[in-house]
Amino acid sequence: MTASGSKEAIRIVGVVGAGQMGNGIAHVAALSGLEVVLTDLRAEALTQALATIGKNLDRQVQKGAVTEADRMAALGRIRTTAETSALGPCDIVIEAATEREEIKTTILKGLIPHLKPDAIIATNTSSISITRLAAVTDRPHQVIGMHFMNPVPVMKLVEVIRGIATDDATFGAVQQLAERMGKIVALAEDYPAFIVNRILVPMINEAAFALMEGVGSVAAIDTAMKLGTNQPMGPLELGDFIGLDTCLAIMRVLQGGMGDSKYRPCPLLVKYVEAGWLGRKTKRGFYDYRGETPLATR
């Protein structure tokens, strides 16, 4: 802390989880001039993350958004490791694991022995209570939600969510960090699914109900929403992009947290998840992605 009560500027960022969100967060942090420690228990995930970051940076160079020198410098700022202890020097650690509360709480508890006392803990949760996650740590006042949108290098928004104990210094430091990464902050209250997913995922769930009830086919529903509401993706296509397991998890958080039957997950959505048809990442969801062109599964 400085004498004024605000935190020193963040210089080293830790990211826990090298999946789609984690590697995207590492990408934008490194590109903004920050040192990054990217951790994952799986060595293959770290290898894949570096390959993805390199490919995405190449694409930015080709588009003229990033110089070759900036690309090389960004890659040089990212260190990968399976060791949680390597997060010790970090000013902030951003948890970007699977959207399951028990996984996140286990990770947060495991971080504590390795972090310096003034380190901030941020979680990239898209729906889970920040207050509840903060309560398992030794520093609830330094825990905050930092919900990036997918794909992180492209999407400008970061939802910042304060838990009931989050202090002003932590919020100020995280807002400054997000802006340094080139993001625009929307401040959300700590209620289930926050702003974006509180509105978006029930729409995807309702599209699944419309499909189950025969209101329209997959293609008809997505075409109607794209052309009728000027959205770049239809809701079923977007559900596949997000991951149907993630959509279902968010609906269950909403149903449990709000206690309202309007958040009941669609049985057809549940069936797709039970089948392992989770969308693009498993090559099948509302669309089948195993061929050259996605084909509707209904």
Side-chain angles (χ1 to χ4, degrees):
M1 293 282 193
T2 62
S4 65
S6 62
K7 289 191 179 295
E8 296 281 4
I10 290 168
R11 297 181 301 277
I12 307 175
V13 176
V15 181
V16 180
Q20 193 172 39
M21 297 304 294
N23 75 60
I25 294 166
H27 173 144
V28 297
L31 197 56
S32 67
L34 296 157
E35 297 295 321
V36 177
V37 181
L38 178 60
T39 69
D40 200 293
L41 294 177
R42 298 171 299 124
E44 65 273 18
L46 293 169
T47 301
Q48 181 59 48
L50 285 179
T52 300
I53 292 167
K55 184 172 63 178
N56 289 339
L57 283 166
D58 285 342
R59 190 177 295 120
Q60 288 179 308
V61 170
Q62 289 163 10
K63 290 181 178 178
V66 171
T67 66
E68 179 62 26
D70 286 341
R71 172 190 171 278
M72 292 300 294
L75 288 172
R77 294 187 190 103
I78 301 172
R79 174 188 170 196
T80 61
T81 177
E83 300 299 325
T84 306
S85 58
L87 298 168
C90 294
D91 301 306
I92 184 169
V93 174
I94 304 171
E95 172 276 313
T98 304
E99 188 68 358
R100 285 171 53 192
E101 187 165 347
E102 63 272 22
I103 291 174
K104 291 183 182 293
T105 53
T106 299
I107 288 170
L108 296 184
K109 288 176 183 176
L111 286 176
I112 299 307
H114 304 289
L115 301 184
K116 57 187 183 181
D118 62 346
I120 295 170
I121 299 173
T123 172
N124 184 54
T125 180
S126 56
S127 62
I128 300 166
S129 165
I130 306 303
T131 299
R132 202 159 61 237
L133 292 175
V136 306
T137 75
D138 64 345
R139 61 193 76 192
H141 61 293
Q142 289 167 208
V143 178
I144 196 164
M146 201 176 185
H147 178 213
F148 291 82
M149 304 295 122
N150 184 34
V152 180
V154 175
M155 300 292 277
K156 286 290 188 184
L157 179 68
V158 173
E159 279 184 302
V160 173
I161 311 101
R162 298 178 69 153
I164 197 168
T166 308
D167 64 21
D168 290 341
T170 297
F171 170 69
V174 166
Q175 183 176 37
Q176 188 177 47
L177 174 65
E179 289 168 354
R180 178 170 179 175
M181 290 178 175
K183 304 303 182 186
I184 295 168
V185 169
L187 179 59
E189 292 296 323
D190 189 18
Y191 292 108
F194 319 130
I195 297 171
V196 173
N197 284 331
R198 167 78 175 265
I199 296 167
L200 175 65
V201 178
M203 180 186 73
I204 294 169
N205 192 58
E206 191 63 27
F209 270 115
L211 178 64
M212 183 181 77
E213 293 165 6
V215 177
S217 65
V218 169
I221 290 166
D222 276 353
T223 299
M225 291 302 291
K226 281 191 286 189
L227 301 183
T229 63
N230 201 29
Q231 297 180 37
M233 282 189 193
L236 300 174
E237 182 186 4
L238 182 56
D240 277 357
F241 181 76
I242 293 168
L244 301 185
D245 53 337
T246 300
C247 293
L248 178 57
I250 293 169
M251 287 307 302
R252 285 176 169 157
V253 167
L254 278 165
Q255 184 182 34
M258 305 301 286
D260 192 322
S261 63
K262 75 178 181 179
Y263 297 115
R264 176 174 67 99
C266 175
L268 181 60
L269 176 62
V270 174
K271 187 181 292 187
Y272 271 72
V273 173
E274 288 174 343
W277 292 17
L278 309 181
R280 285 182 176 270
K281 61 188 173 185
T282 59
K283 304 294 185 185
R284 281 197 284 187
F286 290 116
Y287 293 85
D288 188 326
Y289 300 93
R290 292 174 295 173
E292 288 186 18
T293 305
L295 298 173
T297 53
R298 282 180 176 249

